[in-house]
Amino acid sequence: MDQQDEQQATISRITTGMPVIDSAGTTVGTVDLVQRGDPNAVTVQTPSADPGSSLDELIEATAVEEPDVPADLAARLLHTGYLKVSTDLTPAGAVYVPADRIGSVADGRVLLAVGVADLPPEE
């Protein structure tokens, strides 16, 4: 089993509401969303605003979709899979955990291989 398969096997054991603990033992928060990786995920394109478009169309074009992070990171998260974790530790109220940063799943908890400071916050 390659690393990608191992990550998908690990992420498939995670459910929403599970507590998330970082590598220092700090409780980060709880799992809000579990997204398995899609190696065929299409890279997110930033919509370009047509100067003639209405405000409603512009708002619709920039509507928030998961993951709410910069496009290059979003593409990587969609390929590898990720968790969205609700947390009080960042001003945004949520962080994303790339599948490759999940250390293990044990005793109904998600244990991370990194500290909370290494996780990208929701934008």
Side-chain angles (χ1 to χ4, degrees), residues 8-66:
Q8 296 313 306
T10 299
I11 211 166
S12 68
R13 296 178 27 228
I14 299 170
T15 57
T16 56
M18 289 176 99
V20 178
I21 315 298
D22 79 357
S23 59
T26 303
T27 299
V28 176
T30 56
V31 176
D32 247 5
L33 175 73
V34 179
Q35 181 64 54
R36 293 187 64 167
D38 177 1
N40 302 317
V42 177
T43 305
V44 181
Q45 294 296 324
T46 308
S48 57
D50 172 8
S53 65
S54 72
L55 183 60
D56 287 341
E57 287 173 339
L58 183 61
I59 291 169
E60 198 173 290
T62 57
V64 175
E65 291 188 20
E66 295 294 350

Side-chain angles (χ1 to χ4, degrees), residues 84-104:
K84 181 177 181 180
V85 179
S86 293
T87 181
D88 295 332
L89 302 179
T90 67
V95 292
Y96 291 93
V97 180
D100 60 3
R101 303 287 166 85
I102 300 168
S104 62

Side-chain angles (χ1 to χ4, degrees), residues 64 66-73 84 92-96 120-123:
V64 175
E66 295 294 350
D68 189 11
V69 293
D72 55 337
L73 177 59
K84 181 177 181 180
V95 292
Y96 291 93
E122 181 174 39
E123 292 209 325

